[in-house]
Amino acid sequence: MNLRHIEIFHAVYVNGSVSGAARALNVSQPSVSKMLRHAESLLGFQLFQRASGRLVPTEDAHTLFSEVAEIQDRVYALREAGRNLRRGSGGMLRISALPSLALSALPTAVSQFLRTHDSVKFDLQTVHHDDLLRKLYERETEIAVAYEVPHAAPIGAKKLGGGELAVLYREEDMPNAPERVGIEILSGKRFISVGQSGPIGQIFTQELQRAEVELDEVVSARTFYIASALVRQGVGLTVVDNFTAKASLAPGLAMRPLQNPLRFDVHAMFLTNRPPTALATDFLKTLERVIAAS
């Protein structure tokens, strides 16, 4: 099967009909039918059976689709990369960052950088760990700023600094809190869990298991931003990264680092075959200084 066969098979499988595939690909129905028959002849088995006016994939087609979908995604990524490269310009920096870093650290760095580079344009995005590689592969971003570098991926990285987890709470819920809070103090208090938010949330979950501390988890939040908003609403307290905690502070709220520090690194990631430009390198130095001061 060549790429055209794969594209036709994928479109028919997803749309459930030759007519739907033809519309999706902006080609004629006869050309789709012809290419589909050719693909089946090359493979030596039937891919679809007609039932109630629709094409129903065979078991062999289901097995093949899992492989084809990955190839189709890479072809799409290649096309997107070409489009994004055409849109790019020498004075444009496309930076993605985790939401926790995009709340304060990234805007602060951009503001400082523009004071001495007023002709530079920025395209800023938030990115979650699961989307980091796709953003880089498709050239939607030049640099992704996150906490954990994906393993076994063609990714280069520069360490920008680090942070640590902190308790974010309403002062009335934990008056006279010490400068550093032991996690055992959190036991018995209404707690907003961020254990499913990614690698940083998992660090705290592992510490709870190590210390054999159980918390009264009233809400599980998938993002630190939601957890912080729930604290402001009086739902409970939470443990988030210090960047999110600092950006979320408001009258009546406070933050304290943990007695047993739980630290993590902040990295700028990029494709190994597309290292940062001189302009991007200068910006990363500014972001590094901002992170060090946070």
Side-chain angles (χ1 to χ4, degrees), residues 105-182:
L106 183 60
T108 301
V110 169
S111 175
Q112 293 183 9
F113 193 73
L114 287 175
R115 293 171 191 168
T116 54
H117 301 76
D118 57 3
S119 64
V120 174
K121 306 295 183 184
F122 280 90
D123 179 5
L124 305 178
Q125 309 170 46
T126 58
V127 61
H128 294 279
H129 283 281
D130 293 343
D131 293 330
L132 188 151
L133 291 179
R134 182 185 63 81
K135 292 280 190 182
L136 289 169
Y137 286 148
E138 294 180 7
R139 304 297 200 272
E140 286 188 39
T141 190
E142 298 173 52
I143 295 170
V145 184
Y147 299 139
E148 187 174 82
V149 181
H151 299 296
I155 296 294
K158 170 181 170 56
K159 182 179 175 181
L160 299 177
E164 65 175 308
L165 297 185
V167 181
L168 180 66
Y169 63 98
R170 292 194 308 172
E171 293 175 335
E172 64 187 83
D173 293 333
M174 201 161 58
N176 303 316
E179 288 301 310
R180 284 189 171 270
V181 176

Side-chain angles (χ1 to χ4, degrees), residues 16 40 46-59 61:
E40 289 177 327
Q46 192 173 7
L47 291 171
F48 298 94
Q49 296 175 339
R50 187 168 294 279
S52 302
R54 292 184 62 83
L55 292 180
V56 179
T58 63
E59 286 302 316

Side-chain angles (χ1 to χ4, degrees), residues 147-279:
Y147 299 139
E148 187 174 82
V149 181
H151 299 296
I155 296 294
K158 170 181 170 56
K159 182 179 175 181
L160 299 177
E164 65 175 308
L165 297 185
V167 181
L168 180 66
Y169 63 98
R170 292 194 308 172
E171 293 175 335
E172 64 187 83
D173 293 333
M174 201 161 58
N176 303 316
E179 288 301 310
R180 284 189 171 270
V181 176
I183 60 173
E184 66 280 354
I185 297 178
L186 309 181
S187 182
K189 300 183 184 297
R190 291 166 60 86
F191 188 75
I192 301 159
S193 171
V194 291
Q196 302 300 315
S197 63
I200 301 305
Q202 293 169 8
I203 290 176
F204 183 66
T205 298
Q206 292 167 0
E207 177 64 11
L208 288 175
Q209 294 171 348
R210 186 199 65 78
E212 298 182 346
V213 172
E214 291 189 12
L215 300 181
D216 179 17
E217 297 182 357
V218 294
V219 179
S220 176
R222 293 300 181 105
T223 69
F224 289 170
Y225 179 78
I226 294 176
S228 301
L230 290 168
V231 173
R232 288 196 298 272
Q233 294 300 319
V235 174
L237 49 79
T238 192
V239 171
V240 294
D241 64 280
N242 61 294
F243 303 107
T244 299
K246 186 176 180 180
S248 302
L249 287 179
L253 295 186
M255 60 178 283
R256 291 289 188 275
L258 295 171
Q259 190 174 58
N260 181 26
L262 297 179
R263 297 190 172 95
F264 53 85
D265 295 330
V266 180
H267 300 274
M269 284 159 272
F270 47 86
L271 296 178
T272 53
N273 62 354
R274 196 163 178 256
T277 61
L279 185 65

Side-chain angles (χ1 to χ4, degrees), residues 69-119:
E70 183 176 348
I71 296 172
Q72 190 68 7
D73 287 345
R74 297 301 304 135
V75 172
Y76 174 78
L78 179 62
R79 289 172 178 165
E80 283 297 298
R83 281 191 282 266
N84 286 324
L85 283 172
R86 284 198 302 272
R87 289 196 294 263
S89 62
M92 170 72 75
L93 287 178
R94 293 191 294 275
I95 311 291
S96 295
L98 294 176
S100 53
L101 293 164
L103 281 172
S104 179
L106 183 60
T108 301
V110 169
S111 175
Q112 293 183 9
F113 193 73
L114 287 175
R115 293 171 191 168
T116 54
H117 301 76
D118 57 3
S119 64

